[in-house]
């Protein structure tokens, strides 16, 4: 499994331009041979959309990956974590979960430096857990 060229460019823009995207949702294409972009959430003039929007974009029964900017406050200072979310819900088909686990290695190499978070239910990737 490889990363689609368009997906690779979007990942580059996420990694290189710290303020352009809030998150990108990735998935496998129908042939399960390429990682593709499912959704891009650009940063708006109002700042980053809430993390809750990212969570809503994750399907309940299908595996996905997300690269996310997660702003949070420490005292009066705003900091940002860059996360790699591996979403593999327990309700997904076992074959899909197995495929997603093997493809994850390809993405982990590409996204080194991001904080990895594994989620098989929504509580695993909740705001409280990410903080």
């Amino acid at each position: 499994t490889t990363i689609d060229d368009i997906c690779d460019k979007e990942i580059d823009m996420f990694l290189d331009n710290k303020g352009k995207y809030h998150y990108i949702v990735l998935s496998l294409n129908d042939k399960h041979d390429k990682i593709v972009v499912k959704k891009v959430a650009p940063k708006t003039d109002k700042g980053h959309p809430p993390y809750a929007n990212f969570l809503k974009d994750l399907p309940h029964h299908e595996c996905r990956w997300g690269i996310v900017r997660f702003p949070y406050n420490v005292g009066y200072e705003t900091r940002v974590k860059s996360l790699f979310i591996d979403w593999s819900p327990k309700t997904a088909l076992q074959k899909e979960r197995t495929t997603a686990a093997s493809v994850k290695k390809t993405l982990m190499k590409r996204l080194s430096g991001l904080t990895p978070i594994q989620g098989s239910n929504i509580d695993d990737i909740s705001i409280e857990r990410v903080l």
Side-chain angles (χ1 to χ4, degrees), residues 3-54:
I3 299 174
D4 176 74
D5 289 342
I6 293 170
C7 180
D8 201 43
K9 289 177 185 174
E10 295 291 347
I11 290 171
D12 279 342
M13 290 197 318
F14 181 90
L15 296 174
D16 294 342
N17 187 349
K18 302 258 185 233
K20 184 169 182 164
Y21 294 140
H22 175 61
Y23 63 86
I24 301 174
V25 178
L26 309 170
S27 70
L28 286 173
N29 65 359
D30 292 336
K31 293 181 182 179
H32 291 105
D33 64 346
K34 290 198 184 271
I35 300 164
V36 297
V37 173
K38 201 70 169 171
K39 180 172 184 170
V40 174
K43 183 178 176 184
T44 64
D45 291 339
K46 296 178 183 176
H48 292 296
Y51 183 70
N53 288 356
F54 167 73

Side-chain angles (χ1 to χ4, degrees), residues 51-52 55 68-75 77-83 85 115-117 122-131:
Y51 183 70
L55 297 177
V68 183
R69 287 193 207 300
F70 184 82
Y72 63 100
N73 293 321
V74 176
E77 182 182 353
T78 299
R79 296 182 184 176
V80 178
K81 287 184 184 181
S82 292
L83 309 172
I85 307 286
T115 303
I117 297 177
I122 207 70
D123 290 337
D124 293 340
I125 58 174
S126 68
I127 291 172
E128 294 78 19
R129 292 271 173 99
V130 171
L131 283 173

Side-chain angles (χ1 to χ4, degrees), residues 24-28 35 51 54-55 58-59 62-68 83-90 92 96-108 111 114-122 124-126 130:
I24 301 174
V25 178
L26 309 170
S27 70
L28 286 173
I35 300 164
Y51 183 70
F54 167 73
L55 297 177
L58 298 175
E62 296 175 18
C63 298
R64 293 286 187 270
W65 303 279
I67 52 177
V68 183
L83 309 172
F84 169 62
I85 307 286
D86 177 19
W87 174 243
S88 186
K90 292 178 182 177
E96 182 181 0
R97 291 183 63 165
T98 302
T99 302
S102 67
V103 171
K104 175 184 169 182
K105 295 173 189 170
T106 301
L107 282 169
M108 290 291 290
L111 299 170
L114 273 64
T115 303
I117 297 177
Q118 167 74 41
S120 59
N121 66 57
I122 207 70
D124 293 340
I125 58 174
S126 68
V130 171

